[in-house]
Amino acid sequence: MSSTNGESVPRDDHVLIGVCTLNEIENITPLLQRLRVAFPDADIVVIDDSSSDGTAESVSRMTAEDPRIQLIVRQQRGLGGAIRHAMRIALEGGYDFFLNLDGDLSHEPEQLPLLLKRARQKPPVDVVIGSRYVDGGAIVGWPLHRIVMSRLVNRFATFGLRLPVLDCSGSMRCYRVAALREIEIETLRSNGYAVLEEILVKLLRHGSRMDEVPITFTDRRRGQSKLTPREAFRSVMQMFAMALRK
């Protein structure tokens, strides 16, 4: 058994960790280093959307030292497509669990084993979300307007999409791969951030069980956020469309 902050990560689980990147040269190396400490036996795949700042080259150097890190460089852009690509690798590779987190160090890699631990407990669940909004969760460094906007978006997702979780837009997650197989990931329509809610909607329709564990989310310290006002508006519109289709 491997231990991180007192949490055991069982070696008999076949785990894939996906990280989607776009211009994260300042964050990707320490992120991967910390992930390897937290998960000594997991495979890691970085899906890079043709970063112009050398992110892929930095990851490539690490793959030479660690063959369990894989780099995929896409010519397309969009979080939805990148997550689908990583999930496809998890499905085709016969993994038991697929874990995901942001590539900007806003998520603490050391907290990721908590999600896997919950997924394996009784009763087992199909998706565990690292949540900012359950008791014990926290946000560090966000201005008030971003907190309010996130709360409103998640409140709409909870009630409008009838999702049984509080943090529907959080991307730090642990999925049971067998559950992902049921939802036919190629049918996901969203190419931006709304894919995070769309995945939950599809899992819920297939009877998947969900849970949340508290995490601390810290606003990025280096690099630029990819969530522009235009992308945020597009994601909200896509959620409205999902609610109308329900």
Side-chain angles (χ1 to χ4, degrees):
M1 306 286 280
S2 305
S3 178
T4 304
N5 289 346
E7 296 301 331
S8 295
V9 179
R11 290 183 177 177
D12 56 345
D13 281 328
H14 197 195
V15 175
L16 177 67
I17 303 170
V19 183
C20 303
T21 57
L22 174 63
N23 296 331
E24 295 292 355
I25 183 67
E26 297 176 281
N27 299 307
I28 191 60
T29 296
L31 172 62
L32 293 177
Q33 290 170 339
R34 290 168 64 181
L35 278 175
R36 180 51 74 217
V37 173
F39 289 89
D41 304 297
D43 291 337
I44 302 171
V45 60
V46 177
I47 309 295
D48 184 71
D49 282 2
S50 297
S51 295
S52 60
D53 67 348
T55 297
E57 290 78 4
S58 181
V59 176
S60 184
R61 287 191 291 271
M62 297 192 73
T63 64
E65 301 173 1
D66 186 342
R68 301 193 72 173
I69 299 176
Q70 180 183 3
L71 170 66
I72 304 292
V73 178
R74 303 190 321 136
Q75 298 308 310
Q76 306 93 338
R77 288 198 172 178
L79 180 65
I83 288 179
R84 284 195 299 273
H85 199 129
M87 286 180 169
R88 195 180 310 121
I89 293 172
L91 290 165
E92 294 174 354
Y95 289 89
D96 298 307
F97 294 98
F98 171 69
L99 288 77
N100 187 69
L101 77 169
D102 286 346
D104 60 3
L105 286 175
S106 56
H107 295 132
E108 298 180 15
E110 295 77 14
Q111 293 186 321
L112 198 55
L114 294 169
L115 280 65
L116 179 59
K117 178 182 178 181
R118 173 61 193 96
R120 299 181 73 254
Q121 288 174 340
K122 303 293 185 181
V125 293
D126 299 303
V127 56
V128 182
I129 299 170
S131 179
R132 299 161 290 184
Y133 300 129
V134 295
D135 289 343
I139 296 175
V140 177
W142 264 9
L144 180 60
H145 75 274
R146 287 204 65 179
I147 295 174
V148 171
M149 181 176 71
S150 177
R151 285 280 193 179
L152 290 173
V153 168
N154 279 285
R155 186 65 60 88
F156 170 76
T158 298
F159 291 99
L161 301 178
R162 302 179 186 273
L163 292 171
V165 291
L166 296 178
D167 198 341
C168 307
S169 62
S171 60
M172 188 181 201
R173 296 179 180 178
C174 173
Y175 301 94
R176 193 174 297 275
V177 174
L180 293 179
R181 197 175 302 280
E182 294 295 319
I183 69 172
E184 300 179 350
I185 61 170
E186 297 304 332
T187 65
L188 294 169
R189 300 184 183 184
S190 304
N191 196 45
Y193 285 81
V195 72
L196 297 168
E197 288 84 4
E198 186 179 6
I199 292 169
L200 296 181
V201 168
K202 283 186 172 287
L203 286 169
L204 186 64
R205 288 175 180 170
H206 282 79
S208 293
R209 294 156 295 185
M210 305 180 186
D211 201 1
E212 298 175 271
V213 297
I215 63 162
T216 298
F217 177 95
T218 303
D219 194 20
R220 65 160 64 236
R221 295 186 175 92
R222 296 179 293 272
Q224 297 296 317
S225 173
K226 313 308 181 297
L227 184 58
T228 63
R230 180 179 178 181
E231 175 59 35
F233 178 77
R234 185 174 69 164
S235 295
V236 170
M237 291 300 99
Q238 288 174 338
M239 278 192 284
F240 272 114
M242 281 183 241
L244 292 174
R245 292 196 298 266
K246 283 184 68 65

